[in-house]
Amino acid sequence: MSENTENQQDGKIIQINIEEQMKTAYIDYSMSVIVGRALPDVRDGLKPVHRRVLFGMNELGNNSNKPYKKSARIVGEVMGKFHPHGDSSIYDTIVRMAQPWSLRYMLVDGQGNFGSVDGDMPAAMRYTEIRLQRMAEAMLEDIDKETVDFSLNFDDTLEEPTVLPTRIPNLLINGASGIAVGMATNIMPHNLTEVVDGLIAYIDNRDITIEELVKHVKAPDFPTGGIIYGYEGVKQGFETGRGRVVVRGKINVETSKAGRERLVIYELPYQINKAALHQKIAQLADDKIIEGISEARDESDRDGMRLVIDLKREAIANVVINQLYKYSELQTSYGINNVALVKGRPRVLNLKEMLAEFVDFRHEVVVRRTRFELRKAEEKAHILQGYLIALDHLDEVIALIRASRTPDEAKDGLMSRFELSEIQSKAILELRLQRLTGMERDKIKEEYDEVMKLIAYLKDVLSDEGLRFKIIKDELEDVRKRFGDERKTEIQYLASEMRMEDIIAEEDVVITISHLGYIKRTSAYDYRQQKRGGRGALGGKTREEDYIEHLFVASTHHTMLFFTEKGRCYWLKVYEIPEGEKSGKGRAIQNLINLPTDDKIRAIIDIKDLGDKDFISSHYIVLCTSNGIIKKTLLEEFSRPRQNGVNAITVNEGDQLLEAKLTNGNSEIMMAIKSGRAIRFPENTVRDTGRGAIGVRGIEVDNDKDEVVGMICVNKEDATRTVLVVSEKGFGKRTDIEEYRITNRGGKGVKTINITEKTGSLIAILDVTEKDDLMITCKSGITIRMAVADIREAGRATQGVRLIRLDDTDEIAAVARLDEQEEEKLDNEGMEGEGSEQLRDDSSEDPGTATAEASEDETPAE
């Protein structure tokens, strides 16, 4: 198809193919959008409008150390000189560069209302004021040293830079997004410290792989924080320039004074509107899509974000959190599409290419800056050389000047008489008289020497590429020191992506679980050894009605099996347990596993590796209940973790699971009851059954008055172990296991400790060796650590010695064994409390006690 077009100049009609005309016009338009509007330059990471705003502010002297200027003044300056478009597009650009939730590192310092994360509009430009951030000034540094090319503005009256000579890797740290014609870009923001580390690693090794670079530039880092959920898409984006990153908001679980749980959202995914999210959550609750929410309200203030969701009493926090991630924008995915202009052409770039382009640009800037500084230094040296010549012939110069009728005659005379250049002659004629003194001559000589040294150094820079890259590294390290910060966005790897054990240091930690279900892990070295009978150190701050109930030591690489009083089993890696201060409360265990509110943890087993087939097929879990029921199940039945847990034992009404132990099938089992009796029988008398079975009777218990307090499983070949029993008032002793005769399972057992009002009921039974340490925790939160060797052996019918001094209202809550003493005992200076001196055995305080107790007959077993 064609169309006739009349040429107005010569009257001829030229045939034009309309298809070709439309193609050409559209390509011109699309290239204009791509290059001049929508895509950032790979070198400074800016689109033209951002670059013009920053340059215009710099030209106005609107710097970080100067007073703010009205935004409208800047908009007018940029629109009138460089950006011939609407004022709203310029002001929107300024606003975004001043919003801490939009840019990871802000470039504009704003004063006034610049909108909110709720989507509120900023105030009009006549009300707000702005100035450059220090980071933006670092992007404009050296712009007056011919470091970058300038081009004419829209009306050819002024010049503007085609790129800023930035020291800041802005494309990576602030990212960019834009829609052009036929293409788009979406580059994620990153952490400045990490990016600088990556740039330095690239400079040190140009052949570095992306896999090695990822150790430095770990993942995107969003201004609003959040959690990157899964790493595969991030890795793909780094390797190919295209990928997908999933970001979740951060949620805390709190418990109100009334005991009700609530979720607190305190960080959102990038670019999510908080008010819209609040409305969406309320709608999900109203529509019964999420059942467990009773109310959602926004408690955010100037101290931070706080979107509170009250849960219904029967709701499980972890379930509601997962539903929020599924149904709301609390979990959002972003497409990575690293498209930027490279030498004026759009390209998809991977991580290494983006770093390489920036380093190449910095190298070009350093070369151009050095050439400029060398030229200026040589010009200055040339003039100073002329000064020195004139000062060496001062009388002749003065005479020549006085004899000349005009300045031009004096200039020509100086040039011919002393072989000076025109520049030198002009400078001499303009020299002030005060510089003719002897002291000033010395200063000129010193200045000349300094300039010559600078010239030599600048020439070295231009001739030595290694020196140039050292300058680039030094400037990057200065940027990191001035502007670097910590990551805001956490990285959460999926189980299918990598073994967390590879990136988490293996160390022993102390794990504590409180009566109300708060769990934490603490370094074992925070607990120092103390002498028997001491006051102890505070092991955990708890609420008045709470106290530490379980306390044990495990490696961060192990898996914990949690058994609840209703007979359920849950799994958790030790490194997944939140780390806390020794005096901290910890985190509600419902946040970590899907534990119903009416159930609680009763026993914990530490497994090194659930994937070891030989181990799980040769070991057993032995369970006992408060009513004396015992059950044995193969460990392999518990080797496949499930999010909602599995049934470990069927518990009868009025009973509850009390203890769980790991055995090798060749142990002897001892069970002890509150009234001070214990039974010993071989493990092989209990046949192994499936997870759903009820079990068999282990010891006879009077259900109305008594209950089982503990169970131990001792290997028959291990003759070093003794039985340790502890009463609730702080008394304890060790007894040789052979003092307990082997009886039939299901009997009454024999006396294990003499129970009196002074000792209180039996609280714990453990198997220990003299190499072990003991950790005792009281209901008041006091914790004491002592060597088992300090506890003397005594007959099974004695009441033992005082292990810990308790207040009248306090009782022991938990007793745990540390498998081995630390190789280096920590100094206990400053950790011993009042009354930490060695106490005499209570049996020696009352000489008749031990004799009388030892003479009592054993209770016959049935």
Side-chain angles (χ1 to χ4, degrees):
M1 185 179 178
S2 64
E3 180 181 302
N4 291 340
T5 303
E6 185 176 348
N7 190 310
Q8 296 295 327
Q9 291 182 341
D10 51 18
K12 291 181 181 178
I13 294 174
I14 301 169
Q15 297 287 331
I16 295 174
N17 187 318
I18 193 167
E19 186 178 342
E20 290 298 323
Q21 179 67 22
M22 289 181 71
K23 260 187 199 176
T24 305
Y26 193 73
I27 287 171
D28 289 345
Y29 162 72
S30 62
M31 286 307 297
S32 169
V33 173
I34 289 166
V35 177
R37 189 184 306 172
L39 299 186
D41 193 294
V42 73
R43 296 169 293 178
D44 62 3
L46 298 174
K47 300 176 187 178
V49 64
H50 299 87
R51 192 178 299 120
R52 286 164 176 166
V53 166
L54 296 179
F55 180 67
M57 292 174 73
N58 187 61
E59 289 291 283
L60 269 180
N62 192 16
N63 297 324
S64 62
N65 57 351
K66 302 283 181 63
Y68 292 91
K69 293 184 187 294
K70 283 280 187 186
S71 300
R73 184 176 176 190
I74 306 302
V75 171
E77 177 83 4
V78 173
M79 185 168 62
K81 290 184 175 179
F82 308 116
H83 197 68
H85 300 284
D87 57 358
S88 61
S89 65
I90 299 171
Y91 186 52
D92 289 347
T93 299
I94 290 172
V95 165
R96 187 171 179 276
M97 290 196 289
Q99 290 175 335
W101 61 89
S102 292
L103 255 65
R104 179 63 179 83
Y105 298 92
M106 292 183 293
L107 301 177
V108 170
D109 180 8
Q111 184 170 265
N113 174 17
F114 282 85
S116 76
V117 75
D118 286 327
D120 298 320
M121 295 297 292
M125 68 179 83
R126 61 183 178 273
Y127 299 120
T128 59
E129 297 178 334
I130 57 171
R131 62 184 177 188
L132 288 170
Q133 291 273 9
R134 285 171 56 241
M135 184 171 280
E137 291 174 347
M139 296 182 69
L140 290 152
E141 218 166 312
D142 302 325
I143 197 166
D144 55 348
K145 293 184 178 179
E146 299 177 2
T147 49
V148 293
D149 293 331
F150 278 71
S151 62
L152 292 170
N153 69 341
F154 59 89
D155 61 359
D156 294 351
T157 57
L158 297 167
E159 287 192 330
E160 60 176 314
T162 56
V163 66
L164 299 187
T166 177
R167 296 185 180 195
I168 309 291
N170 184 63
L171 182 68
L172 268 167
I173 67 166
N174 273 328
S177 62
I179 300 171
V181 178
M183 65 183 66
T185 185
N186 202 33
I187 303 171
M188 299 292 110
H190 294 77
N191 182 268
L192 176 63
T193 304
E194 293 180 4
V195 172
V196 169
D197 289 342
L199 287 165
I200 291 172
Y202 171 77
I203 292 169
D204 290 338
N205 175 21
R206 303 301 172 81
D207 297 323
I208 192 169
T209 63
I210 291 176
E211 192 174 336
E212 291 169 319
L213 279 172
V214 168
K215 294 176 182 176
H216 302 283
V217 187
K218 297 179 178 68
D221 188 24
F222 298 100
T224 51
I227 301 167
I228 291 174
Y229 183 66
Y231 197 72
E232 196 56 44
V234 174
K235 189 178 177 185
Q236 192 176 2
F238 281 150
E239 290 174 347
T240 66
R242 297 186 192 276
R244 179 172 169 270
V245 55
V246 178
V247 183
R248 288 178 160 186
K250 285 187 184 175
I251 305 177
N252 263 343
V253 181
E254 295 181 357
T255 305
S256 67
K257 292 179 180 178
R260 297 278 291 276
E261 286 189 327
R262 58 183 173 222
L263 308 180
V264 179
I265 301 168
Y266 61 99
E267 285 184 12
L268 294 181
Y270 186 44
Q271 293 176 332
I272 294 302
N273 184 311
K274 175 162 64 68
L277 177 66
H278 181 198
Q279 190 175 359
K280 174 72 172 177
I281 292 170
Q283 190 66 46
L284 289 169
D286 290 343
D287 295 344
K288 306 295 182 185
I289 295 172
I290 300 179
E291 294 281 356
I293 295 175
S294 63
E295 184 190 1
R297 62 185 178 278
D298 190 353
E299 295 181 358
S300 304
D301 55 22
R302 65 180 60 197
D303 295 325
M305 183 181 298
R306 186 176 165 87
L307 196 57
V308 180
I309 299 166
D310 287 332
L311 300 184
K312 294 178 181 176
R313 196 169 293 279
E314 70 278 4
I316 298 172
N318 223 33
V319 172
V320 176
I321 289 171
N322 289 331
Q323 288 177 323
L324 286 171
Y325 286 144
K326 181 177 180 180
Y327 295 115
S328 76
E329 289 186 315
L330 202 57
Q331 176 175 307
T332 308
S333 64
Y334 303 89
I336 299 171
N337 188 22
N338 297 336
V339 179
L341 295 174
V342 181
K343 296 180 174 62
R345 300 174 67 87
R347 263 183 60 194
V348 179
L349 302 157
N350 62 31
L351 175 64
K352 183 176 178 180
E353 288 168 338
M354 285 195 282
L355 296 177
E357 289 291 342
F358 181 76
V359 169
D360 290 346
F361 174 60
R362 280 307 299 165
H363 183 259
E364 180 190 341
V365 168
V366 168
V367 169
R368 292 180 66 162
R369 182 183 67 196
T370 307
R371 284 178 183 157
F372 174 83
E373 289 174 346
L374 177 61
R375 190 177 81 242
K376 292 294 183 184
E378 286 174 338
E379 288 173 0
K380 188 172 185 179
H382 183 62
I383 291 171
L384 291 172
Q385 196 175 23
Y387 286 169
L388 292 173
I389 292 170
L391 291 170
D392 285 342
H393 305 85
L394 186 57
D395 294 337
E396 292 180 63
V397 168
I398 291 171
L400 190 150
I401 293 171
R402 289 186 65 184
S404 302
R405 289 190 304 165
T406 63
D408 285 342
E409 186 180 323
K411 180 187 70 176
D412 294 339
L414 289 171
M415 289 170 63
S416 59
R417 174 72 182 81
F418 300 108
E419 297 181 352
L420 299 171
S421 69
E422 185 174 353
I423 293 171
Q424 287 174 321
S425 299
K426 280 184 177 179
I428 290 167
L429 289 173
E430 292 169 359
L431 197 65
R432 296 175 66 183
L433 290 174
Q434 72 176 36
R435 303 210 68 180
L436 302 180
T437 61
M439 190 177 292
E440 286 294 320
R441 188 196 185 284
D442 293 340
K443 284 185 181 178
I444 291 170
K445 181 70 172 72
E446 287 174 14
E447 191 177 358
Y448 178 74
D449 292 340
E450 289 296 323
V451 172
M452 293 309 293
K453 286 180 189 174
L454 176 62
I455 288 170
Y457 168 73
L458 294 172
K459 286 181 176 177
D460 287 344
V461 171
L462 289 173
S463 63
D464 185 354
E465 186 180 68
L467 185 55
R468 294 198 292 274
F469 280 108
K470 183 181 182 304
I471 291 169
I472 294 169
K473 281 173 62 176
D474 290 344
E475 289 176 352
L476 284 171
E477 285 171 354
D478 177 62
V479 163
R480 179 175 59 193
K481 183 179 176 183
R482 288 164 61 195
F483 306 114
D485 58 4
E486 297 293 323
R487 281 191 68 85
K488 290 187 174 183
T489 305
E490 290 180 20
I491 304 167
Q492 193 175 102
Y493 298 89
L494 300 182
S496 59
E497 293 175 337
M498 65 183 298
R499 292 179 71 249
M500 286 296 287
E501 287 85 346
D502 295 336
I503 59 172
I504 290 176
E506 184 166 9
E507 62 173 344
D508 282 346
V509 291
V510 175
I511 297 167
T512 59
I513 302 177
S514 76
H515 178 69
L516 291 181
Y518 288 90
I519 186 170
K520 71 172 187 290
R521 63 181 167 95
T522 315
S523 173
Y525 292 101
D526 284 351
Y527 292 87
R528 301 181 177 188
Q529 193 187 62
Q530 292 178 264
K531 295 175 183 177
R532 178 176 63 80
R535 289 286 297 181
L538 195 63
K541 287 182 180 174
T542 57
R543 290 157 56 178
E544 287 183 11
E545 67 273 21
D546 201 6
Y547 55 88
I548 291 172
E549 196 166 64
H550 301 280
L551 187 149
F552 55 94
V553 176
S555 164
T556 49
H557 283 198
H558 291 186
T559 302
M560 309 309 302
L561 270 60
F562 294 91
F563 295 88
T564 72
E565 62 182 24
K566 290 193 173 182
R568 301 285 292 173
C569 175
Y570 298 87
W571 293 261
L572 197 63
K573 289 282 190 181
V574 172
Y575 60 73
E576 293 175 334
I577 298 170
E579 193 167 5
E581 297 293 330
K582 189 176 74 169
S583 59
K585 182 175 72 171
R587 190 171 175 188
I589 201 163
Q590 284 92 343
N591 297 356
L592 308 176
I593 58 178
N594 292 336
L595 183 68
T597 52
D598 60 345
D599 203 358
K600 67 175 293 183
I601 302 298
R602 279 296 180 187
I604 304 103
I605 290 181
D606 174 18
I607 305 294
K608 183 176 182 181
D609 184 8
L610 277 177
D612 186 340
K613 298 294 182 187
D614 294 336
F615 184 84
I616 63 174
S617 60
S618 61
H619 284 74
Y620 299 86
I621 300 289
V622 176
L623 307 166
C624 85
T625 72
S626 297
N627 288 350
I629 299 297
I630 191 161
K631 178 192 170 188
K632 185 171 76 170
T633 304
L634 197 63
L635 177 59
E636 188 177 21
E637 297 258 349
F638 299 95
S639 63
R640 291 170 290 278
R642 295 182 192 168
Q643 189 174 3
N644 292 322
V646 296
N647 205 38
I649 182 174
T650 299
V651 179
N652 292 326
E653 189 175 349
D655 196 5
Q656 62 182 25
L657 180 67
L658 179 72
E659 189 62 271
K661 296 290 184 185
L662 181 70
T663 73
N664 60 4
N666 192 33
S667 301
E668 290 179 343
I669 296 172
M670 286 190 67
M671 300 171 71
I673 58 177
K674 192 175 179 181
S675 58
R677 288 188 287 116
I679 192 170
R680 174 189 176 196
F681 56 86
E683 181 186 342
N684 56 23
T685 62
V686 184
R687 67 180 182 88
D688 61 287
T689 55
R691 286 190 286 103
I694 296 175
V696 294
R697 182 172 297 281
I699 188 171
E700 187 176 314
V701 178
D702 183 348
N703 291 341
D704 294 334
K705 302 176 183 177
D706 222 344
E707 63 181 0
V708 176
V709 296
M711 172 188 71
I712 61 174
C713 299
V714 184
N715 197 322
K716 286 189 284 189
E717 287 81 18
D718 189 356
T720 64
R721 293 205 170 272
T722 54
V723 177
L724 173 75
V725 287
V726 181
S727 72
E728 60 187 1
K729 294 293 180 67
F731 286 79
K733 62 174 179 179
R734 289 190 293 138
T735 307
D736 191 289
I737 195 168
E738 292 304 323
E739 288 204 27
Y740 299 85
R741 67 174 183 266
I742 295 178
T743 64
N744 294 325
R745 172 182 58 78
K748 288 187 175 181
V750 296
K751 181 173 284 192
T752 185
I753 187 172
N754 191 40
I755 296 299
T756 65
E757 188 176 340
K758 183 179 180 181
T759 63
S761 300
L762 184 64
I763 190 75
I765 179 170
L766 296 94
D767 57 309
V768 296
T769 71
E770 291 196 350
K771 291 183 178 179
D772 292 340
D773 277 6
L774 201 64
M775 203 169 289
I776 301 174
T777 305
C778 304
K779 292 184 178 181
S780 61
I782 295 292
T783 299
I784 188 171
R785 176 176 175 171
M786 66 182 70
V788 167
D790 288 347
I791 305 170
R792 74 173 181 88
E793 289 192 33
R796 61 177 176 80
T798 60
Q799 69 177 20
V801 296
R802 190 185 297 276
L803 302 182
I804 183 171
R805 188 188 300 276
L806 298 175
D807 294 332
D808 293 340
T809 57
D810 204 2
E811 292 180 353
I812 290 179
V815 183
R817 184 191 72 226
L818 304 188
D819 286 338
E820 291 182 5
Q821 289 182 321
E822 296 169 358
E823 292 181 9
E824 294 179 21
K825 288 298 180 187
L826 298 180
D827 181 13
N828 61 4
E829 181 182 354
M831 289 294 292
E832 292 184 7
E834 178 190 348
S836 61
E837 72 280 357
Q838 287 278 12
L839 298 179
R840 291 174 296 166
D841 293 346
D842 286 348
S843 57
S844 64
E845 293 174 12
D846 182 358
T849 306
T851 308
E853 291 168 346
S855 65
E856 289 186 27
D857 291 333
E858 297 172 352
T859 306
E862 292 183 5

